[in-house]
Amino acid sequence: MPPKLDQTAKKATRLSLSQSGQKKPFNKEPSRRQVKIAKPVDDINGVQSNESIRPDDQLKLTEEELDEAISNVLQVTEPPELTARVSYSYKDGSFVPYKNILPFITLIELKSTLIHKHLSENDNETALEEVKEESVHNKEDLVIDTDENVDGRIQEEAEDGESEGEGDFPNEEGDQAEGGEEMDEEKTSKPKATSDSDEEAPVVIQEESTTNINSSAKIRNVQKKLMNQFNFFERCALTEEIILRDKEVQTTPPTKNDFCTYATQWIIYDAYNDDFLKQQEEKEKEKRDKIAVHASKKSANKKKKNDVTEDQTEKKMLITAKFLERIINLNTMDAIAQDFRYYEDPSDQFRGRDGTVLPLWTMTYDKADNLYVTDISWSPDYFDMFAVTLGTPQGHLPLTDSPDVGYVCLWSLKNPSYPEYINQTHCGAMCLDFHRNHGFLLAVGFHDGHLAVYNVSLPTKEAQYMTDSVNTKHMACVRQVVWVKDLPDGELNFYSISEDGTVCNWLLMQSEMSKTIIVTLVLDIEPQITLGGISETLIGRGTTIAFHPENSGIYLVGTNEGYIFKCNTEWSSFFMQKFKAHEMSVYRIDYNKYDPNIYLSCSGDCTVKVWEDKSDIPLLIFDLLWSVSDALWSPFSSTVFGVITEDCDVVFYDLDADKYKNICSQPIQPESQYQLTKLAFNWRMPVIVVGSSKSTIVALKMSPNLRLIMKPPKKGKHYTTQMLELEKLHKALDSTREPDTLVVPADDDTTDS
């Protein structure tokens, strides 16, 4: 019995049959060899028998039929071409038609370096040399197959042979039956051949491997492929896999409340008003916070060693003491308080158009009794509070040998015995002005050219803004400061006039004041000053400034030389008008409260002049025989203005009553001891305050004849108070105008009350 063949021998035998290229005929009916079925019979030695047994139901064919050759044709049927195939383009983000014509895609193509194991020794040497030359030429690594690589290649070829021979040998039983005697011989010879080749072929390759490894190492130094350290694929063949994920977020639903109300016009109107007030309060709060932060930063940088923080109990005691002080003063001066509120002089009805002033309180700050009241300004928020500056005016010597100091004080008519707010300054304070919308901001000008802005609502006495260098301050005394309308972005700004001849605009930034020189007051006076052969122009020393009530870009400036300049904020080197108004210093320019085309000016030449816009000839001139310190239009009547003189007289003129004679002239202080300096009208009550030397302020109440107001008639056409006051003013000035400049009233049906 032939020995039992293992699986390797069977594959080798099948491989030899496939390599021979001989095809066996395939009959429709089984042949004699095919019908032989091996019936294994185990003998004593465990060897199978090989006897063939014919089945009973097998078809009996003749020899001719058995020998008849039947052809077997193998055809390859390609899959149908996909005409509508598409692929996803990540560049375009959509599906595009697939353009590859071939039904397959080539990912990688490499040239094989395997050597067949059954070649002779000479063939092996030549094959190795060819592989070596090609590897050096292409700068690739030389790989030598070992025994395991060759065995693996044989196994792959054997498996390919099985797949190719399936058409010739339909089943394994047929292979065994048809093989017959040929398989018996191959089973005994083939395993020996394979064993011999396994022992001899690797020897040749191993001998050559030592020399080829050195050459391949040199080639690797020249060019080395970058391999992925995880799965050992070439990086050029790898692409990033884009994973699309859906993310969902779930939130809790908002709470819902049922609301029911009525909607009417007045409810909607009230809601809009409340919202507008809240917005205004928020804007003011933001500005206050900015100023408070700036103040806190400065106070933190300038800590005093002996600074003692006030206890809450002390603060409450101070507030309580202030209330008690007010109550005591009101009880002590109850008669004056009653006159301030209710008294109207009944004797005016027997004086015709003449009037009087009633003295109320006299307020004095004892620590500054040697200083002058240089300026007065009423608070826009509280009608019973005003601020004053104390210092030494330009051209006046201090009454004592004390150093040049100044004060900023706030007085209230509720407590005329002591100021509500006191702030001592480094030098004489010359002028001040309250901001119209933010009554807690106070701009102050000083004798040495510095300017400061104080927040009187804060407990600190330090300035919120202060000029601190030579380049940002005036070169001479500051005579007047005026707050103007805020810029469109909300920034605060004010103007100042100084004796250095410049008008400057000061913009409050976050941490400093920005200075802008608007105009320089140049005088055209001949001959000019000549210094070293160079002629210099004369610069007018500014003393007062007044802005147009309706057009904030136009303003008037008075100088120490008696000139009046009409300027525009947009022009820095051009004057709209310039003329000689007085022979001495111009102390005040004030626009009429009802007609901005009419203004007055007062000077140290003892005159007060009434001017009309665009004219350099005064409409009226009033000579008071004494130097005039201040003059202002009354806010209650369009034809009344008040004047104070250095001989301590308060004088009132009414153009409607008499153009050449005053209607009131009353002394209020002893001429030998005091000198009147400033005048201010209260914007709500018929009260004026007059400042003098020795830091004394006198409050006076005007009688009814000094504040007559035109009332509209009860019958006939309706006229407003503004229209009636304008007509009264123009009617009084028509006789003084030239015929070409007469103003025709709108209607002549108006009557005086």
Side-chain angles (χ1 to χ4, degrees):
M1 296 295 293
K4 184 179 180 180
L5 298 177
D6 56 357
Q7 191 70 16
T8 305
K10 291 181 179 181
K11 290 182 179 180
T13 304
R14 187 176 299 171
L15 180 62
S16 63
L17 292 175
S18 63
Q19 291 177 355
S20 61
Q22 297 177 0
K23 295 184 180 180
K24 301 297 181 180
F26 178 75
N27 299 326
K28 295 182 181 179
E29 296 182 359
S31 61
R32 296 177 181 178
R33 294 179 181 178
Q34 292 176 350
V35 298
K36 292 181 180 180
I37 300 175
K39 184 178 181 182
V41 177
D42 295 338
D43 58 1
I44 299 173
N45 297 329
V47 180
Q48 296 178 354
S49 60
N50 199 16
E51 294 181 0
S52 300
I53 300 174
R54 184 188 300 271
D56 296 335
D57 57 348
Q58 182 176 355
L59 180 64
K60 294 181 181 181
L61 300 175
T62 60
E63 291 296 334
E64 296 178 356
E65 292 177 349
L66 291 175
D67 294 336
E68 184 180 357
I70 300 174
S71 61
N72 187 7
V73 180
L74 299 178
Q75 295 181 354
V76 178
T77 303
E78 296 183 357
E81 183 178 357
L82 301 178
T83 58
R85 187 175 180 181
V86 295
S87 61
Y88 186 79
S89 175
Y90 292 99
K91 179 179 180 181
D92 300 334
S94 61
F95 289 92
V96 297
Y98 187 72
K99 298 181 180 180
N100 194 358
I101 301 175
L102 298 177
F104 59 88
I105 299 174
T106 303
L107 297 178
I108 187 171
E109 183 178 358
L110 298 175
K111 189 173 182 179
S112 175
T113 57
L114 297 177
I115 301 173
H116 199 273
K117 184 176 179 180
H118 298 287
L119 297 177
S120 61
E121 295 180 358
N122 296 331
D123 296 336
N124 287 335
E125 292 179 358
T126 56
L128 287 172
E129 290 179 358
E130 292 177 357
V131 171
K132 180 178 178 181
E133 291 177 357
E134 292 177 0
S135 62
V136 172
H137 179 70
N138 297 328
K139 295 183 180 181
E140 296 179 350
D141 296 339
L142 180 61
V143 180
I144 301 175
D145 291 356
T146 58
D147 296 341
E148 296 178 358
N149 294 336
V150 176
D151 293 339
R153 181 62 180 174
I154 293 173
Q155 293 179 5
E156 292 176 2
E157 291 179 355
E159 293 175 359
D160 295 338
E162 290 179 1
S163 61
E164 291 176 1
E166 286 178 0
D168 297 337
F169 307 100
N171 50 42
E172 189 176 355
E173 294 179 355
D175 294 343
Q176 293 179 359
E178 187 178 359
E181 298 175 355
E182 294 178 0
M183 289 182 64
D184 295 340
E185 295 177 359
E186 291 176 357
K187 288 179 183 179
T188 57
S189 60
K190 276 293 177 184
K192 293 181 181 180
T194 56
S195 62
D196 294 339
S197 62
D198 292 337
E199 293 177 359
E200 294 176 0
V203 174
V204 178
I205 298 173
Q206 289 177 0
E207 290 177 357
E208 297 294 335
S209 63
T210 56
T211 59
N212 294 330
I213 290 172
N214 296 331
S215 62
S216 63
K218 295 179 181 180
I219 296 170
R220 289 191 185 95
N221 293 333
V222 176
Q223 180 177 0
K224 184 176 181 181
K225 294 182 179 180
L226 296 176
M227 307 299 289
N228 191 312
Q229 59 179 344
F230 298 103
N231 51 15
F232 299 97
F233 287 111
E234 288 190 3
R235 295 183 181 178
C236 61
L238 298 180
T239 57
E240 182 181 0
E241 183 180 1
I242 299 176
I243 302 175
L244 301 178
R245 296 184 178 91
D246 295 335
K247 293 184 179 180
E248 298 179 356
V249 179
Q250 184 176 2
T251 59
T252 58
T255 58
K256 298 180 180 179
N257 295 324
D258 295 335
F259 177 75
C260 180
T261 185
Y262 292 100
T264 58
Q265 293 182 355
W266 52 88
I267 293 176
I268 297 173
Y269 179 78
D270 294 339
Y272 274 106
N273 284 339
D274 295 340
D275 183 66
F276 178 75
L277 293 175
K278 289 181 180 179
Q279 292 179 3
Q280 296 296 327
E281 291 178 358
E282 290 178 357
K283 291 180 180 179
E284 292 182 0
K285 185 178 179 182
E286 290 179 358
K287 292 183 179 180
R288 290 180 182 177
D289 292 342
K290 289 181 180 179
I291 297 174
V293 169
H294 181 67
S296 62
K297 289 182 180 179
K298 284 194 172 183
S299 60
N301 296 332
K302 300 179 181 179
K303 291 184 179 179
K304 297 182 180 179
K305 296 181 180 179
N306 299 328
D307 187 13
V308 180
T309 58
E310 296 181 354
D311 192 10
Q312 295 294 331
T313 305
E314 295 180 358
K315 291 182 179 179
K316 293 181 180 179
M317 291 180 63
L318 290 174
I319 295 173
T320 305
K322 183 182 291 186
F323 279 110
L324 289 175
E325 186 179 8
R326 288 185 177 182
I327 292 172
I328 293 171
N329 279 279
L330 289 176
N331 291 334
T332 304
M333 304 177 184
D334 181 64
I336 299 176
Q338 295 294 332
D339 291 342
F340 163 74
R341 192 67 180 174
Y342 303 109
Y343 179 75
E344 300 292 348
D345 191 356
S347 62
D348 279 5
Q349 58 184 336
F350 305 106
R351 296 193 184 99
R353 298 296 297 268
D354 293 345
T356 59
V357 289
L358 176 66
L360 297 175
W361 297 283
T362 300
M363 294 162 275
T364 304
Y365 182 48
D366 296 335
K367 292 183 179 181
D369 57 352
N370 60 335
L371 299 179
Y372 288 74
V373 176
T374 54
D375 201 1
I376 304 174
S377 178
W378 285 94
S379 171
D381 296 335
Y382 306 98
F383 69 92
D384 59 348
M385 180 180 290
F386 60 92
V388 298
T389 53
L390 303 176
T392 303
Q394 188 73 8
H396 294 73
L397 296 177
L399 299 179
T400 62
D401 297 333
S402 60
D404 186 14
V405 296
Y407 293 92
V408 177
C409 301
L410 263 67
W411 290 91
S412 176
L413 300 181
K414 297 176 182 177
N415 183 14
S417 62
Y418 198 79
E420 296 287 331
Y421 174 89
I422 302 173
N423 193 349
Q424 183 177 354
T425 59
H426 65 283
C427 67
M430 300 303 298
C431 54
L432 81 166
D433 189 30
F434 278 104
H435 195 281
R436 296 295 174 265
N437 298 327
H438 309 287
F440 54 89
L441 292 180
L442 195 64
V444 181
F446 297 98
H447 191 278
D448 60 353
H450 282 284
L451 291 104
V453 177
Y454 295 93
N455 187 350
V456 296
S457 64
L458 298 178
T460 180
K461 300 299 178 64
E462 295 181 359
Q464 306 302 304
Y465 297 90
M466 183 75 179
T467 54
D468 54 359
S469 64
V470 178
N471 295 329
T472 59
K473 75 179 188 70
H474 283 287
M475 297 295 106
C477 175
V478 181
R479 297 299 296 270
Q480 191 173 354
V481 292
V482 179
W483 287 99
V484 294
K485 188 178 179 181
D486 299 345
L487 297 180
D489 55 355
E491 293 180 342
L492 309 181
N493 66 108
F494 65 93
Y495 284 80
S496 64
I497 180 66
S498 172
E499 291 189 357
D500 61 359
T502 59
V503 178
C504 297
N505 176 249
W506 302 88
L507 182 64
L508 300 187
M509 309 296 288
Q510 187 172 2
S511 59
E512 62 179 358
M513 287 195 302
S514 175
K515 174 184 176 182
T516 303
I517 298 177
I518 302 300
V519 70
T520 301
L521 305 176
V522 180
L523 300 177
D524 297 334
I525 299 178
E526 298 293 343
Q528 296 179 342
I529 301 175
T530 303
L531 298 175
I534 301 175
S535 60
E536 297 289 341
T537 57
L538 291 177
I539 303 298
R541 295 183 297 168
T543 55
T544 181
I545 185 172
F547 278 84
H548 197 279
E550 296 179 356
N551 188 355
S552 59
I554 298 175
Y555 60 94
L556 297 174
V557 178
T559 64
N560 199 27
E561 293 77 16
Y563 281 84
I564 292 180
F565 293 82
K566 184 179 180 181
C567 310
N568 195 313
T569 56
E570 297 180 357
W571 303 332
S572 60
S573 61
F574 176 75
F575 301 109
M576 300 177 64
Q577 189 179 1
K578 179 174 63 174
F579 57 92
K580 181 74 172 178
H582 294 273
E583 299 300 327
M584 296 180 67
S585 299
V586 180
Y587 291 146
R588 177 76 75 176
I589 298 175
D590 187 38
Y591 280 97
N592 190 279
K593 304 301 185 294
Y594 293 88
D595 187 359
N597 292 322
I598 305 298
Y599 61 91
L600 62 79
S601 64
C602 66
S603 172
D605 60 358
C606 307
T607 60
V608 175
K609 297 182 180 181
V610 178
W611 306 84
E612 190 173 15
D613 192 17
K614 300 179 182 180
S615 175
D616 55 357
I617 300 175
L619 296 177
L620 294 170
I621 300 176
F622 301 91
D623 191 354
L624 285 86
L625 304 178
W626 282 90
S627 178
V628 179
S629 300
D630 202 355
L632 291 173
W633 286 103
S634 172
F636 307 106
S637 177
S638 62
T639 57
V640 176
F641 62 90
V643 182
I644 58 173
T645 60
E646 290 186 357
D647 62 343
C648 299
D649 286 346
V650 176
V651 183
F652 281 88
Y653 284 90
D654 189 353
L655 302 181
D656 185 47
D658 196 337
K659 302 181 184 62
Y660 308 103
K661 184 181 177 181
N662 59 65
I663 60 174
C664 176
S665 179
Q666 184 174 338
I668 59 173
Q669 293 286 1
E671 180 184 348
S672 59
Q673 299 179 5
Y674 296 91
Q675 179 182 351
L676 301 184
T677 57
K678 288 295 177 180
L679 169 68
F681 282 88
N682 190 292
W683 50 271
R684 178 176 175 181
M685 304 296 293
V687 176
I688 62 172
V689 287
V690 178
S692 64
S693 58
K694 297 185 180 181
S695 69
T696 302
I697 303 102
V698 181
L700 305 168
K701 184 175 183 180
M702 298 184 295
S703 64
N705 284 345
L706 301 181
R707 46 187 170 88
L708 291 176
I709 301 176
M710 298 292 295
K711 295 182 180 180
K714 296 181 180 179
K715 297 181 180 180
K717 189 176 180 179
H718 176 71
Y719 293 94
T720 61
T721 303
Q722 179 74 18
M723 296 171 60
L724 295 175
E725 290 292 333
L726 281 175
E727 184 182 1
K728 182 176 72 171
L729 176 62
H730 291 300
K731 187 176 181 180
L733 295 177
D734 283 344
S735 61
T736 61
R737 290 193 181 101
E738 296 180 1
D740 296 339
T741 60
L742 290 178
V743 177
V744 180
D747 200 329
D748 295 332
D749 296 338
T750 57
T751 58
D752 298 345
S753 61

